[in-house]
Amino acid sequence: MSENTDQNGQGSETEDVYSDCYSTFSQVTSTTINDIDQLPYDLNLRNVITLLGATVGGLLFGYDTGVISGVLINLKPSDLHRSILTDWNKEVITSSTSVGSFFGSIVAFPMADRYGRKLTLSICCVIFIIASFWMGLAMNLYWLIMGRFIVGLAVGIAAQCVPIYLTEISPAKIRGTILTLNSIAITGGQLIAYLMAFGFNYWGVNHSWRFLFILSSIPAILFILTLDFIPESPRWLIVQNRYKDALSVLKVIYPKATTYQLNVTLRKIVSDLNVIHKYQDRPQLNKVTLPHSRSNRNSVYDHLVTNIISHNRSVSFSNNTSNDLTPIQSGAENERHKKQRHKMEGRAKRALFVGCTLMFFQQITGFNAFMYYSPIIFQRFDSINDPLLPAIIVAATNFLFTFFALKFVDTWGRRSILLYTVWIMTTGLVLSTMGFARNDLTILVTSIIIFVAGYASGMGTVPWASVEFLPLNRRSFGASCISCTNWLTNTVVSMTFLTLLNNIGNEDSMLIFAMFTILAWLFVYFFYPEVKGLTLEEIGKVYENGIDVHYIYRNYY
């Protein structure tokens, strides 16, 4: 929170503490020995269950977006009491999930803030279960479209909430790696959907598309069964004034941390949040000056956390040299802050602009069109006995190269990975025009593999991590905006792809997507900042005055 100095040399508050929840306090703590984010991450059984449980939403997200390829190949018009299924019918069946996901992302914003990340994911899984049986038992086109829309609601909620949850339980130095786990779950779900469709085809199972839908309920059921082992986000608990619960969750996430380090972390988060409550009928906290010796600081921090828990209230820390702890006591100031609560500052707007624009490029470059319709594309080649085989190769490439991002995202950084891989997407798309022009299946499959490899290594993963740019009090709203951008663009692409191929041809369609990859690279070069290793609270400094693309290099390298 910024301060101005009056004539008496006293700090006076001039900035809305609700505005963005960033603080220069984290600039100091990010390099101290007591910074909990710099400790080795202990991957114990509890943390493994937490990460696996959180990524179930991504697995279902990937499965339900990838399964449509196998469904469209096996779905017969008679299954839906129709004489024919047109390309338009297939586009509507496919895109209805994206439409549902758009609205699901909107609904997820108030749910995640009001009910918490954990309960929101639980509701999401219940919707997955209902939708899976709805789609599997659909007897006509309209019921199938409605089922796809319902599962889209769950996909949208998962796409919004899972990155938030993973962001808020991840140590800073491996946050990119943990966020990439969600992308691995998504790509793994897509690959599983293709393999299951191929298996049903191989064994000649009648109405296999129904089983493909119903089987998607299994991971959601497993998530609900493991719910007791998955903790809530500590940052959300702090916003809800549940400090004792937040401290308990921090102990789970950082089992090797000392009590002193946990208390420092809790203090830092509370300081950066600057959450204000009226102190009606409550005793005021006395002003505490933090001593300089480590032994004394330990008792003061313990006393501070005890006070916070016992009074169940938030405090604000001034950023002066004495690190005083001073409560905000003015009722008039609280009223002013309430009126300004919904006003978003420029730095949050800039962060949201970057996140939404990058997500737009993720979808407009056409990857999901290949995931949805690749069997239909390959079905047009007479030399292919089973069009799902090259589609499986594409899905496997997507899955395997996501591990490239997992390995290098926190060492190379998000920006570097994008700059290195987006041009590979361009190369693959340009090469695919040769495959279509010559009707050469080998060139076409090779070019699509190149495109997908470049996509999975960067653009398929990094945009979902953009929620880390946003301050906590804007994170759910911003994640909804980013997710809505994804699904709105996805809807446009999936609803028009087959029509586009039929009207302007395969080669020109690929060139359009290639043009968007070039624009995406230029956007990353000029507007996408590097944030590897920065704490969530420190990232706000990147957007303090414009978009400081080279902030981390100038300050830490």
Side-chain angles (χ1 to χ4, degrees), residues 217 362 437:
S217 64
Q362 184 200 68

Side-chain angles (χ1 to χ4, degrees), residues 59-210:
L59 178 69
L60 292 169
F61 170 0
Y63 184 91
D64 281 295
T65 54
V67 76
I68 193 61
S69 296
V71 169
L72 294 178
I73 289 295
N74 293 285
L75 183 62
K76 300 177 181 178
S78 58
D79 293 337
L80 300 177
H81 298 94
R82 299 181 71 87
S83 59
I84 188 174
L85 281 176
T86 65
D87 282 347
W88 169 248
N89 295 145
K90 294 176 182 179
E91 287 175 336
V92 172
I93 292 172
T94 303
S95 61
S96 57
T97 295
S98 300
V99 176
S101 300
F102 175 81
F103 289 102
S105 297
I106 296 175
V107 172
F109 157 48
M111 286 177 60
D113 274 351
R114 182 170 183 178
Y115 301 111
R117 291 33 167 161
K118 180 178 175 180
L119 182 56
T120 300
L121 289 175
S122 304
I123 295 172
C124 170
C125 284
V126 171
I127 298 174
F128 270 121
I129 295 171
I130 294 172
S132 65
F133 284 96
W134 186 306
M135 293 183 295
L137 300 175
M139 299 304 295
N140 60 60
L141 178 63
Y142 303 106
W143 280 99
L144 179 57
I145 291 173
M146 180 58 67
R148 291 282 294 169
F149 177 84
I150 293 173
V151 81
L153 293 175
V155 169
I157 294 172
Q160 188 266 3
C161 193
V162 171
I164 291 177
Y165 180 74
L166 292 176
T167 295
E168 294 177 352
I169 66 169
S170 305
K173 67 177 182 179
I174 61 167
R175 188 171 59 247
T177 300
I178 290 180
L179 283 169
T180 305
L181 291 176
N182 186 49
S183 297
I184 289 176
I186 294 172
T187 57
Q190 292 169 338
L191 179 59
I192 290 172
Y194 276 116
L195 291 174
M196 292 182 66
F198 176 77
F200 283 133
N201 271 2
Y202 182 81
W203 293 105
V205 178
N206 292 326
H207 303 288
S208 61
W209 64 272
R210 297 188 184 275

Side-chain angles (χ1 to χ4, degrees), residues 136 212-213 288 353-354 426 433 447 481 489 493 527:
L212 288 172
F213 281 137
V288 179
F353 163 74
V354 172
T426 308
T433 61
S447 64
C481 292
T489 313
V493 173
F527 295 102

Side-chain angles (χ1 to χ4, degrees), residues 199-459:
F200 283 133
N201 271 2
Y202 182 81
W203 293 105
V205 178
N206 292 326
H207 303 288
S208 61
W209 64 272
R210 297 188 184 275
F211 295 104
L212 288 172
F213 281 137
I214 292 175
L215 287 174
S216 66
S217 64
I218 295 177
I221 294 172
L222 292 176
F223 174 85
I224 293 175
L225 292 177
T226 60
L227 198 59
D228 290 340
F229 297 94
I230 299 174
E232 180 56 85
S233 161
R235 286 174 170 84
W236 181 82
L237 290 170
I238 290 173
V239 171
Q240 302 300 311
N241 301 329
R242 294 166 56 182
Y243 301 105
K244 186 175 181 179
D245 293 337
L247 193 61
S248 298
V249 173
L250 287 174
K251 290 179 182 178
V252 172
I253 298 173
Y254 304 96
K256 292 185 176 180
T258 65
T259 301
Y260 174 73
Q261 290 170 324
L262 293 171
N263 290 345
V264 170
T265 300
L266 182 62
R267 179 191 188 275
K268 182 181 72 172
I269 297 174
V270 171
S271 173
D272 282 310
L273 290 178
N274 288 312
V275 181
I276 300 174
H277 284 271
K278 288 185 177 181
Y279 297 152
Q280 295 176 344
D281 302 323
R282 294 179 181 177
Q284 298 294 336
L285 288 175
N286 294 325
K287 184 176 181 180
V288 179
T289 300
L290 303 181
H292 296 287
S293 68
R294 178 184 173 90
S295 59
N296 289 338
R297 277 207 303 267
N298 188 31
S299 61
V300 171
Y301 278 121
D302 289 339
H303 177 69
L304 167 61
V305 175
T306 302
N307 276 340
I308 292 175
I309 295 171
S310 62
H311 290 291
N312 192 30
R313 79 177 105 202
S314 298
V315 294
S316 174
F317 299 96
S318 61
N319 291 325
N320 54 26
T321 55
S322 63
N323 283 331
D324 293 337
L325 168 61
T326 56
I328 298 177
Q329 303 179 16
S330 171
E333 280 295 299
N334 287 343
E335 292 299 323
R336 183 178 68 82
H337 292 315
K338 280 186 176 182
K339 291 179 181 179
Q340 297 180 355
R341 184 173 185 173
H342 299 291
K343 183 179 180 181
M344 184 180 292
E345 279 195 353
R347 51 188 171 181
K349 291 179 182 178
R350 288 187 284 271
L352 190 58
F353 163 74
V354 172
C356 288
T357 305
L358 190 64
M359 187 60 77
F360 165 79
F361 281 119
Q362 184 200 68
Q363 293 301 313
I364 203 64
T365 48
F367 168 78
N368 277 315
F370 289 106
M371 293 302 297
Y372 297 149
Y373 300 116
S374 57
I376 295 178
I377 295 173
F378 293 123
Q379 197 175 35
R380 300 176 180 180
F381 290 82
D382 297 332
S383 58
I384 296 181
N385 294 326
D386 192 335
L388 281 173
L389 281 175
I392 289 174
I393 295 175
V394 171
T397 302
N398 187 33
F399 176 68
L400 292 175
F401 275 86
T402 305
F403 285 91
F404 177 89
L406 178 70
K407 181 174 179 60
F408 295 108
V409 69
D410 280 315
T411 54
W412 289 11
R414 287 70 149 162
R415 172 183 166 84
S416 296
I417 281 183
L418 288 174
L419 291 176
Y420 293 150
T421 59
V422 171
W423 67 266
I424 299 177
M425 297 168 58
T426 308
T427 303
L429 289 170
V430 172
L431 186 61
S432 70
T433 61
M434 297 174 55
F436 281 118
R438 298 180 182 182
N439 201 31
D440 190 319
L441 182 61
T442 302
I443 294 178
L444 180 60
V445 173
T446 302
S447 64
I448 293 178
I449 288 175
I450 293 172
F451 168 75
V452 172
Y455 175 89
S457 300
M459 188 62 78

